[in-house]
């Protein structure tokens, strides 16, 4: 009985955590390691969501020969697609794989392009530039109906429906495993000499150039690479919600929260980022569960989580500005010792 | 001996100020050249133009017969010219060891694609670490090894800046005040390393330095810059006898 109630809750929290882990660790690679201040993280995430909104369902409609418009007859098409997907394992799986690759390509290209446009900007200016770009993309998504249904958004079919009654378990495993693979990739990259070079660029870009490295190319690569993975997070968020509404990919949920997670946990340290994400998600969940018991408070419970996390953030900034788990310089112990993973 | 660097009618302006004004000179291979002059006479600007940090407004720079005018700093470094900074440009939150490993230039693990495969870079990383140990022993900073660069003293930072040359091994080294704020014993030692690098490894040096008492003993040729122009030049013994040098740079001779 207890397990039956608790298990979905744990899995739900864990999927939520995993998806946010991609956002915060990508931001950590951009901001914490390379020093690219990106306040517009959500442009990469929403680009993945737009891809899953616009691409696989249209492909499925075309493949099955359904003569209806996916956006304007959305609910009907989704129910038809769900019926087809229930009997057909291959098509939804293939569509999902195509979606992931397409989302990574779109995310990567957008990340590369916007970074290329902003190469001369640093710190605050760069952060504001990315914020503006991301807001512009959001406004475009909210108003261009063929992309993701405009202001109303669109529903997505269930790509896992062919798995039967336990599809939610597989789905959740999927939502948890992919983010952890991405996290492992980031960990691998940051523990290599490339990660060290990124930190050096963060500290002093001109000095790195004068040591013979093309820092522009490195920064472009980092942004393309992390934006591609952020787009994957966007696909996962949409799959989890089984819908895409452009307006939900906003600066609070997908830029400020990841920033808070990174700052709380420790900038330039993947483990700190993991801890920060975990703490934020747990605090949010606890507040969410307690909402029925806290009716006596003079504030709407919806704002309580913002107040609490804002408070936590201020406390950390005052007493431990480098975060809970600060970045540690790499230690070389003895002659012949080199980096170990 | 061939010419390794040729600068012709180089001009660099900042607004109305001509920081480098029509400077031409040649640097022979395997030589140590000293640039001196009062503060603001354009010595560092000249080095920055050669290293690609500033784009000159006019004039040409040739390195080993190739025109390098206006190239990007990283391209110039990869051709074999490296500049060290007067105010050490190191990576303050990285440890001294990490700093030195970034100075090492040939590591294939610094490519994103290679960073996933440890076996593609681990051998080079081991070589880099060996070189790192050699370097810290040479410069006597072993004890500071795992400390962050922002915890080091001013003199140690200077040594860290100088260690760029030992780790990266450029052909032509542009040193901006390599021994400023370093004790005389170590300063002499650094200059003897420079001489040794010139004699044994065939390196060429262009040095900006105010501590003439130490530098003059080791250099082959001196240029005196005043207001962006070359005032006089020659071998040390000759230049140090010039009257105008005392007027503009060294304190006036007693009557």
């Amino acid at each position: 009985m207890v397990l039956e109630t608790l298990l979905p809750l744990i899995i739900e929290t864990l999927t939520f955590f995993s998806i946010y882990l991609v956002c915060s660790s990508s931001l950590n690679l951009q901001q914490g390691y390379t020093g690219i201040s990106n306040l517009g993280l959500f442009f990469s995430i929403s680009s993945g969501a737009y891809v899953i909104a616009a691409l696989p369902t249209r492909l499925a409609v075309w493949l099955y020969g359904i003569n209806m418009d996916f956006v304007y007859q959305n609910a009907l098409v989704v129910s038809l697609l769900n019926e087809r997907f229930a009997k057909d394992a291959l098509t939804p799986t293939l569509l999902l794989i195509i979606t992931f690759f397409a989302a990574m390509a779109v995310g990567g290209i957008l990340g590369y392009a916007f970074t290329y446009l902003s190469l001369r900007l640093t710190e605050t200016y760069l952060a504001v530039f990315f914020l503006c770009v991301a807001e512009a993309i959001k406004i475009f998504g909210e108003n261009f109906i063929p992309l993701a249904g405009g202001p109303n958004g669109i529903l997505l079919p269930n790509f896992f429906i062919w798995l039967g009654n336990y599809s939610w378990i597989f789905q959740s495993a999927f939502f948890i495993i992919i983010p952890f693979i991405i996290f492992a990739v980031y960990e691998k990259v940051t523990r290599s000499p490339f990660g060290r070079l990124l930190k050096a660029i963060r500290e002093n870009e001109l000095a790195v150039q004068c040591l013979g490295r093309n820092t522009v190319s490195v920064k472009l690569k980092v942004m393309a690479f992390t934006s591609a993975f952020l787009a994957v997070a966007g696909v996962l968020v949409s799959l989890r919600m089984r819908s895409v509404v452009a307006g939900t990919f906003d600066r609070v949920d997908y830029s400020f929260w990841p920033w808070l997670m990174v700052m709380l946990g420790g900038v330039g340290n993947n483990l700190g980022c993991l801890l920060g994400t975990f703490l934020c998600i747990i605090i949010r969940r606890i507040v969410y569960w307690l909402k029925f018991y806290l009716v006596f408070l003079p504030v709407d419970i919806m704002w309580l989580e913002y107040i609490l996390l804002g408070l936590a953030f201020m406390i950390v900034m005052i007493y431990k500005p480098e975060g809970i788990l600060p970045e540690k310089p790499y230690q070389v112990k003895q002659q012949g010792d080199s980096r170990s993973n | 001996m061939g010419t390794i660097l040729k600068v012709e009618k180089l001009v660099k302006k900042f607004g109305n100020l001509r920081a480098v004004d029509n400077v031409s000179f040649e640097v022979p291979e395997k030589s140590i050249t000293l640039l001196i002059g009062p503060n603001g006479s354009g010595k560092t600007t000249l080095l920055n133009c050669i290293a690609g940090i500033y784009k000159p407004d006019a004039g040409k720079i040739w390195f080993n017969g190739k025109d390098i005018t206006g190239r990007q700093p990283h391209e110039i470094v990869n051709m074999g010219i490296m500049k060290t900074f007067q105010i050490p440009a190191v990576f303050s939150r990285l440890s001294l060891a990490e700093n030195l490993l970034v100075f090492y230039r040939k590591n294939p693990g610094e490519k994103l694609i290679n960073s996933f495969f440890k076996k593609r870079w681990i051998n080079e990383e081991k070589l880099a670490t060996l070189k790192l140990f050699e370097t810290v022993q040479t410069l006597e900073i072993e004890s500071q090894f795992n400390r962050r660069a922002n915890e080091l003293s001013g003199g140690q930072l200077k040594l860290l800046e100088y260690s760029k040359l030992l780790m990266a091994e450029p052909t032509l080294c542009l040193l901006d005040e390599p021994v400023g704020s370093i004790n005389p014993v170590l300063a002499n030692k650094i200059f003897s390393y420079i001489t040794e690098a010139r004699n044994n490894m065939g390196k060429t040096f262009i040095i900006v330095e105010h501590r003439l008492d130490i530098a003059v003993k080791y250099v082959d040729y001196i240029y005196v810059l005043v207001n962006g122009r070359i005032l006089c030049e020659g071998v040390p013994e000759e230049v140090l006898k010039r009257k105008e040098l005392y007027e503009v740079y060294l304190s006036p001779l007693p009557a």
Side-chain angles (χ1 to χ4, degrees):
Chain A
M1 178 62 198
V2 177
L3 193 72
E4 270 173 22
T5 15
L6 269 186
L7 194 66
L9 201 65
I10 292 170
I11 289 179
E12 165 69 13
T13 311
L14 209 57
T15 49
F16 200 52
F17 163 73
S18 317
I19 291 171
Y20 262 106
L21 184 63
V22 178
C23 305
S24 58
S25 54
S26 302
L27 178 68
N28 194 25
L29 199 67
Q30 294 174 355
Q31 158 69 23
Y33 281 87
T34 324
I36 305 170
S37 316
N38 184 357
L39 261 183
L41 209 60
F42 59 106
F43 84 78
S44 320
I45 302 171
S46 62
S47 66
Y50 295 148
V51 167
I52 196 170
L55 182 73
T57 37
R58 282 208 173 83
L59 276 178
V61 166
W62 174 72
L63 276 175
Y64 289 128
I66 300 168
N67 201 8
M68 274 190 265
D69 187 84
F70 175 67
V71 175
Y72 292 98
Q73 292 161 296
N74 182 244
L76 202 59
V77 174
V78 166
S79 66
L80 279 174
L81 282 180
N82 278 341
E83 272 174 35
R84 300 287 183 102
F85 283 174
K87 295 174 213 143
D88 183 4
L90 187 67
T91 317
T93 314
L94 274 180
L95 286 174
L96 214 52
I97 293 170
I98 292 171
T99 306
F100 274 112
F101 282 107
M104 283 175 82
V106 171
I109 289 167
L110 286 182
Y112 190 95
F114 293 135
T115 314
Y116 191 82
L117 290 176
S118 61
L119 279 174
R120 285 170 178 275
L121 304 177
T122 52
E123 298 185 3
T124 326
Y125 295 99
L126 187 62
V128 172
F129 172 81
F130 280 125
L131 186 61
C132 294
V133 161
E135 285 292 340
I137 288 183
K138 186 185 148 204
I139 291 168
F140 178 75
E142 276 181 320
N143 292 288
F144 186 63
I145 294 172
L147 186 63
N152 300 323
I154 53 167
L155 296 173
L156 295 173
N158 185 351
F159 289 89
F160 298 91
I161 201 165
W162 51 276
L163 285 162
N165 283 344
Y166 290 97
S167 73
W168 70 274
I169 295 179
F170 290 100
Q171 243 182 94
S172 308
F174 191 72
F175 293 153
I176 295 164
I177 290 167
I178 289 187
F180 275 91
I181 292 174
I182 294 176
F183 184 76
V185 167
Y186 285 158
E187 186 65 9
K188 187 95 181 157
V189 168
T190 50
R191 278 174 180 274
S192 73
F194 184 74
R196 191 170 58 212
L197 184 65
L198 295 186
K199 284 187 187 177
I201 291 176
R202 176 193 69 192
E203 296 297 319
N204 193 337
E205 193 176 336
L206 180 65
V208 178
Q209 278 173 7
C210 292
L211 288 162
R213 267 59 153 236
N214 187 352
T215 55
V216 168
S217 132
V218 173
K219 279 161 82 176
L220 287 172
K221 272 185 211 161
V222 167
M223 278 302 283
F225 173 66
T226 47
S227 291
F229 283 141
L230 282 167
V232 170
V235 173
L236 293 178
V237 170
S238 312
L239 278 175
R240 184 168 165 271
M241 300 292 185
R242 222 174 289 156
S243 66
V244 178
V245 184
T248 56
F249 293 94
D250 65 351
R251 54 184 179 273
V252 176
D253 274 340
Y254 294 104
S255 275
F256 299 165
W257 283 120
W259 266 87
L260 176 63
M261 290 162 182
V262 171
M263 305 284 273
L264 204 65
V267 182
N269 181 356
N270 282 329
L271 211 62
C273 171
L274 189 95
L275 180 74
T277 312
F278 184 73
L279 285 179
C280 283
I281 297 293
I282 290 295
I283 295 176
R284 281 185 86 173
R285 283 284 128 155
I286 289 174
V287 172
Y288 195 69
W289 292 332
L290 290 179
K291 71 175 171 187
F292 301 110
Y293 305 100
L294 291 172
V295 280
F296 58 87
L297 282 177
V299 288
D300 188 329
I301 196 74
M302 159 123 189
W303 308 118
L304 185 65
E305 61 177 32
Y306 292 83
I307 294 170
L308 282 181
L309 279 163
L311 205 65
F313 183 62
M314 283 198 283
I315 292 171
V316 167
M317 281 296 106
I318 292 167
Y319 293 104
K320 224 169 178 327
E322 68 279 13
I324 301 169
L325 285 181
E327 173 192 345
K328 282 201 183 79
Y330 171 68
Q331 308 274 308
V332 180
K333 299 286 182 318
Q334 61 194 22
Q335 194 153 347
D337 175 31
S338 47
R339 285 176 102 73
S340 51
N341 276 344
Chain B
M1 263 195 304
T3 306
I4 191 164
L5 185 84
K6 193 175 158 196
V7 175
E8 204 179 83
K9 292 182 180 162
L10 198 75
V11 177
K12 175 68 195 170
K13 289 184 273 191
F14 296 109
N16 285 332
L17 176 78
R18 293 172 84 89
V20 175
D21 192 2
N22 228 352
V23 169
S24 306
F25 66 95
E26 283 182 22
V27 177
E29 247 179 311
K30 298 175 195 170
S31 66
I32 303 175
T33 307
L34 184 67
L35 288 179
I36 55 173
N39 295 101
S41 60
K43 308 178 294 290
T44 301
T45 310
L46 180 58
L47 291 194
N48 281 344
C49 286
I50 299 171
I53 299 169
Y54 294 149
K55 271 196 177 146
D57 292 307
K60 290 263 175 234
I61 305 165
W62 282 277
F63 174 63
N64 274 337
K66 265 188 231 155
D67 186 357
I68 58 160
T69 325
R71 295 246 189 153
Q72 292 289 316
H74 67 91
E75 293 175 317
I76 290 179
V77 176
N78 290 328
M79 290 171 130
I81 302 182
M82 185 174 269
K83 177 182 179 279
T84 65
F85 291 81
Q86 180 178 5
I87 299 161
V90 297
F91 313 117
S92 45
R93 277 185 287 174
L94 268 59
S95 69
L96 190 138
E98 278 180 305
N99 266 281
L100 286 160
L101 289 170
V102 176
F103 300 162
Y104 190 79
R105 281 195 302 134
K106 290 170 284 186
N107 202 324
E110 286 182 356
K111 289 220 159 30
L112 177 59
I113 189 77
N114 289 345
S115 65
F116 302 113
F117 309 104
K118 197 176 175 184
K119 64 169 185 268
R120 288 199 191 170
W121 52 261
I122 192 69
N123 288 332
E124 199 63 44
E125 182 80 5
K126 280 178 184 157
L127 291 179
T129 319
L130 286 176
K131 189 144 189 129
L132 152 74
F133 277 94
E134 245 173 63
T135 307
V136 287
Q137 274 157 12
T138 311
L139 297 177
E140 299 169 5
I141 41 178
E142 306 98 301
S143 56
Q144 310 301 326
F145 213 67
N146 282 324
R147 286 178 69 191
R148 287 186 181 207
N150 58 9
E151 295 166 358
L152 301 178
S153 74
Q156 285 165 340
L157 281 177
K158 276 279 183 196
L159 290 177
L160 185 55
E161 183 69 26
Y162 174 71
S163 71
K164 281 180 182 175
L165 303 176
L166 300 182
M167 291 299 287
E169 299 188 328
T171 333
L172 171 61
C173 313
L174 312 173
L175 310 185
D176 201 348
E177 297 205 21
V179 299
S181 71
I182 287 183
N183 73 67
V185 176
L186 204 53
N188 274 306
K189 217 168 166 182
I190 285 183
F191 268 103
S192 35
Y193 288 134
I194 291 172
T195 321
E196 215 180 284
R198 191 267 307 264
N199 295 342
N200 301 339
M201 290 182 275
K203 310 268 179 211
T204 311
F205 291 88
I206 302 179
I207 301 171
V208 169
E209 185 54 67
H210 285 298
R211 292 173 72 178
L212 292 189
D213 52 327
I214 298 166
V216 162
K217 291 181 276 182
Y218 300 92
V219 302
D220 303 325
Y221 206 79
I222 298 181
Y223 287 96
V224 183
L225 251 78
V226 176
N227 294 331
R229 289 163 183 266
I230 293 176
L231 179 76
C232 58
E233 59 181 282
V235 291
E237 301 80 51
E238 252 177 53
V239 169
L240 289 177
K241 281 180 203 151
R242 303 281 284 258
K243 220 167 132 194
E244 59 262 47
L245 178 68
Y246 288 86
E247 280 160 15
V248 298
Y249 184 54
L250 304 171
S251 50
L253 288 172

